[in-house]
Amino acid sequence: MFSVMVTGTAPFTYQWQKNNANISGATSASYTTPATVSGDNGATFRVIVTNPVTNITSNSATLTVNPVVTSPGTDVTTYHNDIAQTGQNTTETKLTQANVHSTTFGLLHNLAVDGRVDAEPLYLSQLSVAGSGHNVVFIATEHDSVYAFDSDTGAQLWKVSLLGSGETTSDDRGCGQVSPEIGITSTPVIDRTAGAHGILYAVAMSKNGATYFQRLHALDTTTGAELEGGPVAIQATYPGTGANSSGGQVVFDPKQYKERAALLLLNGVVYTSWASHCDFNPYTAWIIGYNQTTLAQTSVLNLTPNGSEGSIWQSGGGLAADPQGNIYALMANGTFETTLDANGFPNKQDYGNGFVKVSTTGGTLKVADYFNMSNTVNESGQDADLGSGGPMVFPDLNYGTASTLNLAIGAGKDGNIYVVDRNNLGKFSATSNNVYQELQGALPNGIWGVPAYFNSTVYFCDINSTLKSFAITNGKLSATPVHTAASFTYPGVLPSISANASSNGIVWAIENTGPAVLHAYSASDLTQELYNSNQAANSRDHFGTGNKFITPMIADGKVFAATTNSVAVFGLLP
């Protein structure tokens, strides 16, 4: 508010001015501005006072507008929150165990899109779009579309199609796993510091007639525009005599593959990994890297180059990486040679049904270590492989032991949990499983999903069974987990964690039913359910039909849950 004091002969009239221009209706001895914005910074205000004799103009006053200081928000730029694939967001201050219940928490928006959402949504806080700050959720669909929505208002900010001219999305290739169309299946990855405004990287499948395409795209996060000369077609060859080889080279055929596992961005390289359509041969196991700035192919590794199958599914879970820059994958059923070379590796470099560690040293992909169980060939033959699960890298902690432990964990269809020492995964022995820890039958129905980690506890859910928490004591997982009262149909639930540092831990899970159900449990006691979306009266929080392999994403007081045609946004009710 500006005001003026006047001496002289009344009556007086007043006219306030902003930047020397009259302000309509500002004709009193004081003037109160509307709510100020950053553009008002430096504006000048003065008043002209008039009586029957003369008028006089006051000195000018300059307005200073200071920016509002807010706490930085949380970005979710990759599947399961980090490259270790822990699934934990420990910066969540709004959602607590006290306020996540049906009277104060529920469905806020349901963001409709044009196809199935098989990728986990991603999120950037306070992204400037068209000159305004927005908390943005990014959604990719099997119709080859990418959307950006304001997560607070539900307004669509932009949408782009990744189809080339004259193209359609791929058909399902005769396999019902991703149907009726295949577009963007894997979770993209974002680098907020790349380009002018941040870049979202995504792989899209499409076709033109009988010709199929797999392409890597780099999209501006504020407009969806293609960047870095993209998109680029994904093509590759690798030395070998395995499936679909010619002249001593295995050839990547785009129609035989889908990008199912989430993309990994590591040290400036976007890594893709490839799964088949059902078990329809010919196919092999590929990891292919691209420079994030130029989209030039930097590295290719085939993990069954002289055999077949062994693809990387991981139920949508991403390749995991450790602080040293090594990549971890769980392989599906495929060729594995039980004849080993002098270093203990399969003599033809085929790692079907393996827990594989891949070095990225010098920009080259190379198998640095691996683990295969003693009955690996039988398991592959029975389709009881590791590939239905995803790997997770533990934080480097002591867990009460004398020295730091460098561990990773994985599980698949055989019902066992395998904890490996990242410095010595265990390789292969026909008589024993030489791993750091094995919990036989801990997940008796098998895993089609990924674990999560929080506060020295690991969370798993096998199919048609309960969500379980395995506490870590003295560096070992407990053999007697705590579990939920409820069991969950195929594929079980894929848990994510929200917490404020080590407090207010909440485990979130989406049940693949019709309608889908969002669940929240106390992370310290899974017998305590805090909320589920069936609790509110009149189906208030129902949000659509369930979709397999969907992992909840939590950021800045909101929980995002994908369906077959939307992404629901949950949060504290107004």
Side-chain angles (χ1 to χ4, degrees), residues 158-498:
W158 55 258
K159 172 193 174 185
V160 295
S161 173
L162 302 191
L163 293 170
S165 177
E167 294 177 5
T168 65
T169 53
S170 171
D171 58 282
D172 64 14
R173 302 293 295 139
C175 175
Q177 292 169 338
V178 178
S179 187
E181 61 181 347
I182 304 175
I184 306 169
T185 306
S186 65
T187 300
V189 67
I190 296 173
D191 184 346
R192 186 164 188 161
T193 67
H197 314 110
I199 296 178
L200 179 148
Y201 300 91
V203 169
M205 186 177 186
S206 60
K207 71 172 185 173
N208 190 336
T211 303
Y212 291 80
F213 306 94
Q214 302 279 1
R215 296 191 183 96
L216 175 63
H217 298 256
L219 308 180
D220 186 296
T221 60
T222 64
T223 64
E226 294 275 4
L227 299 175
E228 315 296 16
V232 296
I234 294 175
Q235 302 170 323
T237 60
Y238 191 83
T241 59
N244 202 46
S245 63
S246 177
Q249 295 286 317
V250 182
V251 179
F252 179 89
D253 182 350
K255 72 176 181 294
Q256 290 298 110
Y257 296 94
K258 60 174 170 280
E259 173 64 282
R260 188 64 191 95
L263 299 184
L264 170 67
L265 178 58
L266 179 66
N267 297 329
V269 179
V270 178
Y271 290 101
T272 66
S273 55
W274 296 90
S276 64
H277 307 287
C278 294
D279 286 326
F280 298 160
N281 282 296
Y283 67 92
T284 52
W286 299 84
I287 299 176
I288 309 174
Y290 291 85
N291 182 291
Q292 75 166 109
T293 301
T294 66
L295 301 189
Q297 190 177 98
T298 61
S299 51
V300 179
L301 176 66
N302 195 297
L303 291 160
T304 49
N306 296 296
S308 65
E309 302 183 340
S311 57
I312 301 173
W313 296 82
Q314 301 186 164
S315 297
L319 298 170
D322 65 21
Q324 292 73 40
N326 300 298
I327 295 172
Y328 298 82
L330 296 185
M331 301 282 290
N333 52 287
T335 304
F336 176 79
E337 290 86 29
T338 58
T339 300
L340 308 180
D341 65 19
N343 296 312
F345 291 82
N347 66 341
K348 293 185 179 180
Q349 300 84 51
D350 295 316
Y351 293 91
N353 193 27
F355 196 141
V356 181
K357 174 184 178 180
V358 177
S359 167
T360 63
T361 302
T364 300
L365 293 173
K366 180 180 179 181
V367 176
D369 202 358
Y370 76 99
F371 162 70
N372 275 71
M373 58 288 297
S374 60
N375 62 337
T376 185
V377 175
N378 288 336
E379 284 197 354
S380 278
Q382 297 169 10
D383 194 26
D385 53 273
L386 285 173
S388 61
M392 185 182 74
V393 170
F394 284 97
D396 292 342
L397 298 173
N398 289 327
Y399 293 130
T401 58
S403 59
T404 299
L405 296 171
N406 308 124
L407 305 177
I409 191 170
K413 299 175 188 175
D414 67 7
N416 302 331
I417 295 176
Y418 300 100
V419 182
V420 296
D421 182 338
R422 303 201 311 267
N423 303 306
N424 179 13
L425 266 63
K427 296 186 174 65
F428 170 76
S429 165
T431 59
S432 61
N433 290 338
N434 300 316
V435 291
Y436 174 82
Q437 184 184 11
E438 178 180 353
L439 291 181
Q440 292 189 0
L443 306 168
N445 297 334
I447 283 288
W448 273 256
V450 297
Y453 172 89
F454 174 68
N455 270 9
S456 292
T457 304
V458 180
Y459 303 85
F460 275 105
C461 182
D462 46 336
I463 64 170
N464 302 315
S465 189
T466 57
L467 175 63
K468 303 170 179 65
S469 62
F470 296 83
I472 301 171
T473 304
N474 294 325
K476 300 283 188 177
L477 269 67
S478 168
T480 54
V482 177
H483 60 83
T484 58
S487 292
F488 303 101
T489 188
Y490 173 84
V493 294
L494 285 66
S496 292
I497 315 292
S498 69

Side-chain angles (χ1 to χ4, degrees), residues 131-147:
S132 300
H134 299 269
N135 293 319
V136 182
V137 58
F138 298 89
I139 302 169
T141 77
E142 294 288 0
H143 199 62
D144 267 330
S145 297
V146 179
Y147 293 79

Side-chain angles (χ1 to χ4, degrees), residues 46 54 83 99 131 208 221 229 247 529 573:
R46 68 184 187 181
T54 187
I83 61 174
N99 63 26
N208 190 336
T221 60
E529 185 173 36
L573 299 171

